[in-house]
Amino acid sequence: MSDRSAQAYSQALQYIPGGVNSPARAFGAVGGGPRFVSHGRAAHLFDLDGREYIDYVCSWGPLIFGHAHPRVVRAIQEACERGTSFGAPTELEVAMAAQVCAMVPSIEMVRMVNSGTEATMSAVRVARGYTGRDKIIKFEGCWHGHGDSFLIKAGSSALTLGAPDSPGVPASVAADTLTLPYNDADAVAHAVARNPGQVAAVIVEPVAGNMGTVLPCAGFLESLRQITRDHGIVLIFDEVITGFRVAPGGAQQRFGVTPDLTCLGKIVGGGLPVGAYGGRREIMSEVSPMGRRISQAGTLSGNPLAMAAGLAQLQMLTEPGVYERLEQVSVTLAEGMRDSVRRLGRRFAVNQVGAMLCLFFVEGEVNDYAAVTRADTDLFRRYFWACLERGLYLAPSQFECMFPSAVHSDDDIEATLRAQYEALRAVL
Ligand code: KE4
């Protein structure tokens, strides 16, 4: 590990659990210590020792236009000069709500919160309040943030660090969460039949991005929509990753399935702390202070700096050519990686949709959690370090995605595929 990162890390360990403010940043699954960042510029990240990397974490998804985009920086500066927070409504919040509702038509009303976790926690509480039911259905390997109800067979850092179920979650809470295999609609039908009138919501990542990238099989999302509609269950799409990343209107636009509620995060905040949840007016009209007053609140919800950053990014996404560029960059990467794997005589899976992709160290197709858990995580660990040493900054886990941005240049992609091939050859 680089010297200055090592020094910073040993100091961080004195004050912060694991030396990081989120376990996904720890190098637990790959060994060694994390690189501490000095700054970012476009698609590049620079560590404390001045090493430069092509960044495929991009803050775990928010930076669809890369680091410190001038229009985002200027929007934050202008907002900052008017004050950082008021605890009173501003026109920026109205503009943001209107922008989200315009880009994701199933969202008729929306609430801004401060993280994806807050968005999913709130959406589940609203679904429970609206239906008067307690149980929820989620899927193995999906991550919806660290709300108690979700920490059962969860993905992302829980899966990476081998703790899909967390201590501290009361058995009474866990009992109301039914966790089923992703892409298995029959399992959902059976679970609903065994719990008649008790399931408030099905929450799903419409493309799973927390066990690597796993796409919905044909008919899976449509079946969820049919089952939930037939049984008065709220269908929640957790689009914290997929929102604005796989299409302007998210996975629901790309796959043509409309949920009742949608959770957003990451891109919607332009790199600042923002989450959002919203959906059918009939449901959202029950959120406090309206209707049945289902509680949800937050001191910094709709913060003007975060709204300015998110709005700047969303407005740039509506400009011509952006999604063509995102698709072109991501497909070029995926096809190049498949070619590298083939040239080395292996059949590892590369899953890609929109601007999210993942190389699995699993031979053959990867369509569910069971296939993902067959990944050779020790080979991934060696591949991760071989890539880092060749200037590629990947998530330190087999169970995360690569997140290209609209500002990854043709040179970046060419350099990435060259370095990635060399790294694969070195470890294979
Ligand atoms: P946050 O609370 O981290 O903003 O969002 C939680 C969340 C909810 N839903 C989905 C689909 C998510 O992917 C996330 C957070 N994603 C992880 C990475 N896969 C964040 C990284 C971290 O935990 O540090």
Side-chain angles (χ1 to χ4, degrees), residues 234-305:
V234 176
L235 179 58
I236 303 173
F237 273 11
D238 177 349
E239 296 226 38
V240 168
I241 285 182
T242 55
F244 314 111
R245 176 164 288 279
V246 302
Q252 55 195 270
Q253 176 187 358
R254 192 170 188 121
F255 292 96
V257 176
T258 302
D260 299 307
L261 293 179
T262 298
C263 301
L264 299 168
K266 298 182 190 283
I267 289 172
V268 76
L272 269 64
V274 181
Y277 71 98
R280 285 172 38 210
R281 186 178 298 277
E282 174 196 357
I283 299 176
M284 292 300 289
S285 299
E286 303 294 352
V287 177
S288 179
M290 297 170 72
R292 278 173 267 183
R293 295 186 179 80
I294 302 170
S295 181
Q296 176 265 309
T299 302
L300 294 171
S301 296
N303 172 272
L305 274 60

Side-chain angles (χ1 to χ4, degrees), residues 328-350:
Q328 182 203 0
V329 163
S330 307
V331 168
T332 304
L333 271 174
E335 288 178 359
M337 289 161 67
R338 292 188 187 106
D339 182 50
S340 295
V341 165
R342 262 193 308 273
R343 283 162 58 197
L344 293 162
R346 305 305 288 266
R347 291 188 309 109
F348 298 140
V350 177

Side-chain angles (χ1 to χ4, degrees), residues 1-19:
M1 183 165 80
S2 59
D3 299 345
R4 289 192 52 196
S5 284
Q7 288 163 17
Y9 187 46
S10 62
Q11 211 179 6
L13 284 167
Q14 294 176 49
Y15 305 106
I16 308 168

Side-chain angles (χ1 to χ4, degrees), residues 22 24 60 115-117 143-145 156 205 210 238 240-241 266 400:
S22 188
W60 301 92
S115 70
T117 295
W143 174 259
H144 303 294
S156 186
E205 290 184 61
N210 287 288
D238 177 349
V240 168
I241 285 182
K266 298 182 190 283
E400 300 286 358

Side-chain angles (χ1 to χ4, degrees), residues 18-33:
V20 290
N21 279 309
S22 188
R25 305 174 197 166
F27 275 24
V30 295

Side-chain angles (χ1 to χ4, degrees), residues 132-152:
R133 302 173 185 177
D134 292 342
K135 291 192 185 314
I136 65 166
I137 288 173
K138 70 174 283 284
F139 296 90
E140 282 174 332
C142 288
W143 174 259
H144 303 294
H146 64 93
D148 279 353
S149 295
F150 307 125
L151 294 176
I152 292 99

Side-chain angles (χ1 to χ4, degrees), residues 55-390:
D55 185 6
Y56 285 99
V57 178
C58 287
S59 182
W60 301 92
L63 306 178
I64 197 78
F65 287 102
H67 295 277
H69 190 286
R71 284 173 61 180
V72 175
V73 171
R74 192 164 57 248
I76 297 170
Q77 282 170 334
E78 286 168 6
C80 199
E81 281 152 16
R82 304 164 66 92
T84 56
S85 178
F86 309 109
T90 66
E91 287 177 312
L92 272 173
E93 293 159 83
V94 182
M96 170 61 96
Q99 182 76 27
V100 167
C101 293
M103 292 178 81
V104 189
S106 72
I107 299 181
E108 297 175 324
M109 296 190 92
V110 62
R111 262 278 166 86
M112 307 313 293
V113 293
N114 300 281
S115 70
T117 295
E118 228 189 308
T120 55
M121 279 169 54
S122 306
V124 161
R125 182 180 308 125
V126 169
R128 285 171 162 155
Y130 176 73
T131 60
R133 302 173 185 177
D134 292 342
K135 291 192 185 314
I136 65 166
I137 288 173
K138 70 174 283 284
F139 296 90
E140 282 174 332
C142 288
W143 174 259
H144 303 294
H146 64 93
D148 279 353
S149 295
F150 307 125
L151 294 176
I152 292 99
K153 294 198 183 94
S156 186
S157 51
L159 180 55
T160 299
L161 299 169
D165 304 293
S166 170
V169 176
S172 58
V173 170
D176 280 332
T177 298
L178 310 173
T179 304
L180 304 176
Y182 191 78
N183 271 328
D184 185 344
D186 290 343
V188 177
H190 295 146
V192 169
R194 281 198 308 276
N195 296 274
Q198 299 171 56
V199 179
V202 170
I203 184 168
V204 66
E205 290 184 61
V207 176
N210 287 288
M211 46 175 155
T213 304
V214 175
L215 280 72
C217 290
F220 176 60
L221 298 177
E222 292 82 351
S223 298
L224 293 186
R225 179 63 284 177
Q226 192 59 53
I227 294 166
T228 51
R229 181 171 286 127
D230 292 350
H231 295 271
I233 296 170
V234 176
L235 179 58
I236 303 173
F237 273 11
D238 177 349
E239 296 226 38
V240 168
I241 285 182
T242 55
F244 314 111
R245 176 164 288 279
V246 302
Q252 55 195 270
Q253 176 187 358
R254 192 170 188 121
F255 292 96
V257 176
T258 302
D260 299 307
L261 293 179
T262 298
C263 301
L264 299 168
K266 298 182 190 283
I267 289 172
V268 76
L272 269 64
V274 181
Y277 71 98
R280 285 172 38 210
R281 186 178 298 277
E282 174 196 357
I283 299 176
M284 292 300 289
S285 299
E286 303 294 352
V287 177
S288 179
M290 297 170 72
R292 278 173 267 183
R293 295 186 179 80
I294 302 170
S295 181
Q296 176 265 309
T299 302
L300 294 171
S301 296
N303 172 272
L305 274 60
M307 296 298 100
L311 258 175
Q313 207 160 247
L314 293 189
Q315 284 159 354
M316 287 196 285
L317 283 171
T318 61
E319 290 167 5
V322 172
Y323 283 91
E324 290 77 6
R325 178 64 187 166
L326 282 169
E327 201 74 22
Q328 182 203 0
V329 163
S330 307
V331 168
T332 304
L333 271 174
E335 288 178 359
M337 289 161 67
R338 292 188 187 106
D339 182 50
S340 295
V341 165
R342 262 193 308 273
R343 283 162 58 197
L344 293 162
R346 305 305 288 266
R347 291 188 309 109
F348 298 140
V350 177
N351 289 354
Q352 174 266 329
V353 57
M356 61 193 284
L357 66 155
C358 180
L359 164 63
F360 287 100
F361 287 92
V362 179
E363 304 273 356
E365 283 197 7
V366 176
N367 292 318
D368 60 19
Y369 183 77
V372 165
T373 55
R374 287 198 298 272
D376 181 339
T377 50
D378 183 58
L379 182 53
F380 173 82
R381 176 184 61 77
R382 290 184 284 124
Y383 165 77
F384 169 82
W385 283 103
C387 286
L388 197 70
E389 284 149 17
R390 290 168 175 78

